[in-house]
Amino acid sequence: MTDVRTVSEADFEGWLRALNTGFLREPGPNEDQIEAHRRQCVSSRVLGAFDGDRCVATFRSFAQEVTAVGGAFVPANAISNVTVTPTHRRRGLLTRMMSRDLAAAKERGDVLATLIAAEYPIYGRYGFGPATWTTQWTVEVPRAGLDPRWSGPEDGGRIDLVDGEDLRKLGPELHERVRRAQPGAVSRDELWWQKITGTVLFVKDWTEPFFAVYRSASGEVEGLVSYRSDDNWHDKQPHNTADVSWLIATTPAAERALWRYLCSIDWITKVKSGWRGPDDLLPFFLPDPRAARVTDHADWLWVRILDVVRALEARTYEGTGSLVLEVVDGDGLAGGRFRLEASPEGASCAPAGGAAADLTLPVGELATVWLGDESLVRLAALGRVREEREGAARKADALFRTSGRPWCPDIF
C-alpha cells in the first residue's frame, strides 16, 4: 500500500522531483531550487505519498492570515504544492493527504483552509468553495485616449523606479496597510519578498522585473508595481507589452498614477494587468474604457471553513438581522445548526439547538458567500442552497453581500 507520511530531509529531493513532475516541469531540480524549497518548507506541513522509496504525490500547507470583511485577520491553513504523479492517479492519494491535513488544521484551531485551485472540479468535494474571482485586462494603449505628453502625476506625487533591495524595505509595510483594507487578501512572509526579488530562486529561468513606487505629495509610499516587458519590433515600429506581475496601492490616486505610468512608457503599446479584482478601477481610469479588454476571468481564492462560529463572528455585516443556518459538512469538520445575530456594530454566532433553520447549505457554499462576493439568492436558484423559510435567501443577502468585491492579490 502507498504510504502517506511527513516528508523527511532524506525524502526531500525526491518530493521536489515529484512536485516538478506533477506540474509538468523539468523533473530534476537544481541546487538553487532545492535550497529555495527547503527554506520554504521549514515552517510548513509537508506530506508525500510514497510507493516504496519513490514519492508519487505531494502536499504542503502553511500558516496564513486571510482578511475578512471589515479588516480582521483570520488564521488559515493555506494549501499548496498539491500533485499526484500520473502513474498513481485515481487511487485516493489526494483524499488521504487532504483529510490528514484538514484534521490537523481543525485541531490546531485554524478557522479556515485556503488554496488556489489549478482545476475547478477537484476541491468542492473537500468542502471548499470559490470565495473570490479575478479578472485580467489587456490595455491597447494607442486607443486608450491618454495624453502622450504625460510626464508624471498631477497630484504632487511622484513615481520612482527602485531595485529589489528597496522593494524588500518598502513593500512589507505597504502590503500590511493594503491587506487590512482588502477582504480576501492574504499575508506575505519575508520569503515571499525574497522570492519575487530573486534573492531565492524557485525557478530556473527567473528574470529581474522592473519595480516602480508611487509616493504621495507628502512622500508617503502609497503604491507599488512589478512588471516585465518584451522586445517586439516589426516594420521598424515598437509593439512591446508591459506585463504586470502585481500592483498594490492604498489609494485610488496611487493606482491611477501607476497605471498611467505603465501606459506612458515609450515603446509600450499594450499593458497586461495581471490578476485583478473583478471590479477593479483600471478600465475607468482610461478616457476610453473599451481600450481595456477582458482577456481572462476565473475563480481564484478557494476557502474551506473549519470553524463556523469564529468565521461568521470575524467578519462585519452591512445589515441587521438574525438567521439560523443548517451547515452540511460530509467530512464532519464544521457542520451543524447555527444562529447568526448580525448588525453593523458586530455579530454573534452560536449553536442553534432545536431552532428551525432558515437556510440549509453545504459548508462549501457558506465559504463562497463568507467574503460577500456571491448571492444566496443565486445559489438558491441554482439548487445549491435550500430555503427553509420563504425569503430567507434574500434576507441573508442583505447581511452577507458587500459594496466592493473581495480580491486576493496573491497566488500561493
Side-chain angles (χ1 to χ4, degrees):
M1 181 178 178
T2 305
D3 179 33
V4 171
R5 64 175 187 261
T6 301
V7 173
S8 68
E9 178 60 34
D11 298 325
F12 188 73
E13 189 168 341
W15 181 89
L16 187 52
R17 186 178 185 88
L19 176 68
N20 286 343
T21 298
F23 284 121
L24 302 181
R25 299 191 290 242
E26 182 182 342
N30 62 25
E31 289 302 316
D32 286 338
Q33 290 177 298
I34 293 171
E35 180 56 30
H37 281 276
R38 183 177 283 113
R39 291 180 61 181
Q40 185 179 63
C41 291
V42 165
S43 59
S44 300
R45 285 84 65 167
V46 184
L47 297 175
F50 292 83
D51 187 348
D53 293 331
R54 183 181 179 188
C55 185
V56 294
T58 64
F59 190 106
R60 180 174 70 91
S61 67
F62 58 95
Q64 185 186 72
E65 291 177 335
V66 180
T67 305
V69 177
F73 296 155
V74 178
N77 176 64
I79 294 169
S80 186
N81 296 155
V82 176
T83 73
V84 177
T85 301
T87 55
H88 285 69
R89 61 199 298 267
R90 303 294 184 266
R91 302 187 189 184
L93 299 181
L94 172 56
T95 296
R96 290 170 62 190
M97 294 187 295
M98 181 70 76
S99 298
R100 176 170 168 169
D101 185 74
L102 291 181
K106 174 76 173 180
E107 178 69 22
R108 199 166 44 242
D110 290 331
V111 176
L112 313 169
T114 62
L115 54 83
I116 307 291
E119 297 179 59
Y120 192 100
I122 294 175
Y123 294 100
R125 66 180 184 265
Y126 302 116
F128 287 83
T132 78
W133 290 69
T134 189
T135 303
Q136 292 194 76
W137 284 269
T138 297
V139 178
E140 303 288 344
V141 175
R143 62 168 292 189
L146 296 165
D147 185 350
R149 298 169 298 175
W150 187 86
S151 59
E154 296 84 3
D155 58 4
R158 61 177 291 163
I159 292 175
D160 296 306
L161 287 166
V162 297
D163 60 18
E165 182 178 358
D166 291 327
L167 188 78
R168 290 191 296 274
K169 295 175 183 176
L170 300 173
E173 192 276 333
L174 176 69
H175 178 257
E176 286 301 297
R177 288 155 52 203
V178 168
R179 76 175 178 119
R180 186 168 292 281
Q182 179 57 64
V186 298
S187 51
R188 295 175 177 176
D189 60 13
E190 181 182 359
L191 187 61
W192 189 93
W193 297 97
Q194 295 173 342
K195 176 180 177 180
I196 59 100
T197 55
T199 303
V200 292
L201 299 175
F202 284 83
V203 296
K204 295 179 179 179
D205 57 351
W206 187 86
T207 58
E208 183 180 6
F210 298 100
F211 302 113
V213 56
Y214 168 86
R215 291 183 172 90
S216 68
S218 65
E220 184 175 12
V221 174
E222 293 184 349
L224 286 167
V225 63
S226 170
Y227 65 97
R228 292 179 171 87
S229 63
D230 60 8
D231 185 15
N232 181 19
W233 285 69
H234 53 84
D235 298 329
K236 294 291 287 183
Q237 294 294 321
H239 298 274
N240 298 321
T241 299
D243 197 341
V244 174
S245 301
W246 51 266
L247 185 154
I248 58 173
T250 57
T251 65
E255 283 189 64
R256 181 191 298 272
L258 288 170
W259 290 121
R260 185 66 184 89
Y261 160 74
L262 292 163
C263 291
S264 74
I265 300 171
D266 287 345
W267 301 352
I268 294 297
T269 59
K270 289 184 180 179
V271 175
K272 292 185 177 180
S273 71
W275 298 106
R276 308 296 302 166
D279 58 350
D280 198 82
L281 298 174
L282 168 59
F284 301 100
F285 286 143
L286 308 174
D288 184 353
R290 293 184 185 179
R293 174 171 48 89
V294 173
T295 49
D296 210 339
H297 178 74
D299 55 284
W300 198 245
L301 181 72
W302 287 59
V303 168
R304 207 282 187 208
I305 291 178
L306 298 171
D307 187 325
V308 172
V309 170
R310 291 168 65 200
L312 295 185
E313 289 184 342
R315 56 156 293 171
T316 59
Y317 299 84
E318 296 192 359
T320 299
S322 175
L323 281 171
V324 177
L325 304 174
E326 181 75 32
V327 180
V328 180
D329 186 352
D331 293 325
L333 294 172
R337 187 169 296 182
F338 302 90
R339 182 183 297 278
L340 171 66
E341 301 280 353
S343 75
E345 286 71 45
S348 64
C349 183
D358 297 308
L359 288 169
T360 297
L361 70 170
V363 68
E365 307 303 342
L366 182 61
T368 293
V369 302
W370 179 67
L371 285 171
D373 197 40
E374 185 53 272
S375 161
L376 283 147
V377 172
R378 279 166 44 97
L379 294 177
L382 291 166
R384 292 159 55 183
V385 167
R386 186 172 71 245
E387 282 191 317
E388 308 295 354
R389 295 183 188 273
E390 185 177 355
R394 189 169 298 280
K395 178 182 177 182
D397 271 354
L399 295 179
F400 279 89
R401 297 299 296 274
T402 56
S403 56
R405 299 186 70 175
W407 172 50
C408 178
D410 292 356
I411 188 168
F412 54 89

